[in-house]
Amino acid sequence: MSERTVEGAGGLPPARASVALVGLLLFAGSLGPAAGQVVHGYLRDVHTNQPIARGIVSLLACRGEPVASVTTGADGSYRVTAPAAGCYLVEVRRIGYEARRDGPLELGVGDEIDTEFHLLPLAVPLAPLEVAGALPQPDAFLARVGFYERQRSDFGHFLTREQIEARAARRLTGLGRMGIQLRGSLLSHGGSCHPRVIIDEIIVIRGDARPRGLDAFGLPEAATETARPGAGRPEIALDDVVQPEDIQAVEVYRSSAEVPARFGGMSTATQCGVVVIWTRRGRDERP
C-alpha cells in the first residue's frame, strides 16, 4: 500500500500545515464569545417621548453588583456589553428623572437584546439659597419718635427715606398730595384748607381753616388787607420749608379725625389735617 502525503498550502510540510489549521480553527471559535453579550436601545421621556441624552445605563449582576455602564448619546441611544453570559438587571438614571431598574435578563453567549426605557420627570430638590446681606433695619431715630408705631396704627399716610428716594421728587409737594389745599368738610361755603406743618416737632405752618372771604383771624379778607397789608396771605409755602433730600420720613393726616394727640388731635386747628416731617438733620442732632 502506498501512502500519499498531502502537502499543506504554500508547500508547508504536513506537520506544519496541521498546526496552522488547528490555529485557524481556534481563532474562528473565539470570534463568537469575543463579540460579547449586548443590551442596546433608547432612553426617552415618558411624557414627550423625546430622547434623553447623557443618561446612565448600567448592567448589574442579579446579585446587585454593577458590571458595566454607558452614557446615552444625543439621540438617547445606548449599547452596553456584559462581560459574560448570565443573569443581569438593567438600571437607567438621569438627573431630573425617576431612576428605573428592570430585569432579570438572561443573556446567553453572543446574545443581543433590544430595549427601550421611558423615564418619569421629577422635580430636583435644591439646597436652600442663602442671600448674603443684611435686611433693611428700622431707623433708630424714627423708632424713638414713634413713627413706626403710628405707621402700624393704619391712620394716615407714611413715607420712608427709601420711598422718598424712589419717587425722585425735586419738591416736597412732588412727593404726594400733601401740598394740595384740602377742602374742609366742616367749613361753611366750602372754605379752603391749608394743613398744619410740623418739622421735627416744631410747628412751622400753623394751618389755615376758614370759610370763604374770611382771613385766618375770622375777619373779612378785604378789611384785613386794608388795615394790615399782607396779613391775609399764607404764612409760608410748603415747598419753601424743606427739600426732599433733607427728609428722613413724612406723616400725612388728611383730617383732624386721623391726627394723633401728639400733633394736636381732633381740634379746629387741625381740621385741615397735619403734615409731619422728620428731617435727616433732626435725626443726626438727636441723642
Side-chain angles (χ1 to χ4, degrees):
M1 172 184 285
S2 63
E3 294 184 0
R4 299 176 57 186
T5 302
V6 179
E7 293 185 355
L12 289 176
R16 289 188 179 182
S18 299
V19 172
L21 181 60
V22 171
L24 288 173
L25 292 174
L26 290 175
F27 176 75
S30 68
L31 290 178
Q37 300 65 232
V38 176
V39 176
H40 58 80
Y42 293 89
L43 183 59
R44 301 184 184 277
D45 186 293
V46 70
H47 295 312
T48 66
N49 205 40
Q50 293 297 310
I52 299 176
R54 297 186 298 278
I56 305 298
V57 180
S58 302
L59 282 180
L60 293 79
C62 282
R63 294 185 300 273
E65 64 272 17
V67 296
S69 64
V70 294
T71 301
T72 59
D75 61 351
S77 64
Y78 56 86
R79 183 181 180 88
V80 57
T81 303
C87 175
Y88 292 96
L89 304 174
V90 182
E91 183 180 80
V92 288
R93 292 174 286 112
R94 177 70 167 90
I95 294 176
Y97 289 88
E98 185 177 309
R100 179 178 172 185
R101 181 178 291 189
D102 204 1
L105 297 177
E106 288 293 338
L107 287 177
V109 176
D111 281 352
E112 285 201 17
I113 298 180
D114 188 18
T115 59
E116 185 167 288
F117 288 95
H118 292 78
L119 296 185
L120 181 67
L122 52 76
V124 180
L126 300 176
L129 180 63
E130 295 184 3
V131 179
L135 295 174
Q137 297 297 316
D139 184 276
F141 165 61
L142 295 180
R144 286 197 303 271
V145 298
F147 176 87
Y148 298 114
E149 183 178 353
R150 290 188 295 276
Q151 188 179 40
R152 289 190 295 268
S153 70
D154 202 27
F155 285 97
H157 302 266
F158 298 81
L159 288 175
T160 63
R161 181 64 201 166
E162 292 76 13
Q163 293 169 315
I164 293 170
E165 291 178 346
R167 297 191 181 193
R170 296 185 177 182
R171 300 183 304 168
L172 179 58
T173 52
L175 295 176
R177 296 184 55 194
M178 63 191 69
I180 295 178
Q181 291 184 349
L182 306 179
R183 306 299 295 181
S185 60
L186 298 181
L187 300 179
S188 62
H189 307 295
S192 62
C193 275
H194 299 274
R196 168 174 288 185
V197 178
I198 302 175
I199 298 182
D200 294 335
E201 298 190 291
I202 299 174
I203 299 175
V204 295
I205 300 178
R206 67 173 181 269
D208 188 4
R210 50 183 164 143
R212 181 181 299 171
L214 298 183
D215 64 11
F217 304 98
L219 300 174
E221 288 183 339
T224 303
E225 185 65 22
T226 300
R228 300 172 57 192
R233 291 193 289 270
E235 307 162 70
I236 305 175
L238 190 56
D239 285 326
D240 295 335
V241 172
V242 66
Q243 297 302 310
E245 60 266 24
D246 298 323
I247 299 175
Q248 185 66 17
V250 179
E251 305 175 40
V252 179
Y253 302 97
R254 302 284 187 184
S255 67
S256 61
E258 294 183 351
V259 178
R262 178 171 185 164
F263 306 126
M266 183 180 293
S267 68
T268 56
T270 61
Q271 62 180 311
C272 291
V274 174
V275 177
V276 181
I277 299 172
W278 302 103
T279 66
R280 306 178 79 179
R281 182 178 60 187
R283 178 196 63 177
D284 296 338
E285 291 178 353
R286 292 201 174 210

